[in-house]
Amino acid sequence: MLKRKSILFFVSLQPIIVVGKNTFLTQLIELAGGSNTAVTAASTYPTYSREAVLKDNPDVLMFMSDIFVEPNGLAKLYPEWSKLKAFKQKKIFGIDADIVTRPGPRAVDGLEALYKLIH
């Protein structure tokens, strides 16, 4: 059995909003063998601080494709994030929102894409 990778999934960068508990995306992350670091937050799509991202220190940073920023650009926005495990392991990805945000037949494509990116 594969070790679950910790994932922090962003839906916005300014302000920082992530996928939290009780969401379809969290279910997909878990089915793909990941663990959403933001499930302990108070809401389904919590606003996060820069420091909260550092505290979570996820294995993988995932972004909706429409907000994805290359790692160099992300490091310019938030220089302190270059200390994260995800940065050091080059596990920073964008994913097509159309396949991971809507329950339905395309969710299988989203699950497969998440699995490949996580592992």
Side-chain angles (χ1 to χ4, degrees):
M1 181 174 199
L2 294 173
K3 178 188 175 288
R4 288 196 173 271
K5 303 271 182 160
S6 60
I7 315 297
L8 189 56
F9 202 123
F10 296 81
V11 295
S12 173
L13 278 172
Q14 294 179 325
I16 301 167
I17 300 174
V18 297
V19 174
K21 62 183 175 183
N22 301 325
T23 62
F24 176 67
L25 258 170
T26 292
Q27 289 178 337
L28 281 181
I29 290 167
E30 290 171 357
L31 286 170
S35 170
N36 182 354
T37 64
V39 295
T40 58
S43 66
T44 53
Y45 291 94
T47 301
Y48 248 43
S49 68
R50 296 165 76 148
E51 296 79 15
V53 175
L54 287 173
K55 183 178 177 249
D56 281 2
N57 195 19
D59 296 315
V60 178
L61 295 178
M62 192 78 61
F63 299 85
M64 295 292 183
S65 55
D66 58 337
I67 65 154
F68 180 67
V69 178
E70 295 294 327
N72 289 340
L74 193 58
K76 286 179 184 171
L77 270 174
Y78 304 111
E80 66 276 12
W81 289 5
S82 61
K83 300 173 187 169
L84 296 170
K85 285 188 278 186
F87 259 90
K88 292 177 182 175
Q89 298 170 10
K90 297 181 177 21
K91 292 285 198 173
I92 302 169
F93 306 109
I95 191 164
D96 184 356
D98 286 339
I99 63 171
V100 293
T101 57
R102 297 183 193 123
R106 288 190 288 182
V108 174
D109 297 333
L111 179 59
E112 183 178 11
L114 279 170
Y115 182 85
K116 287 178 181 177
L117 293 172
I118 292 170
H119 303 287

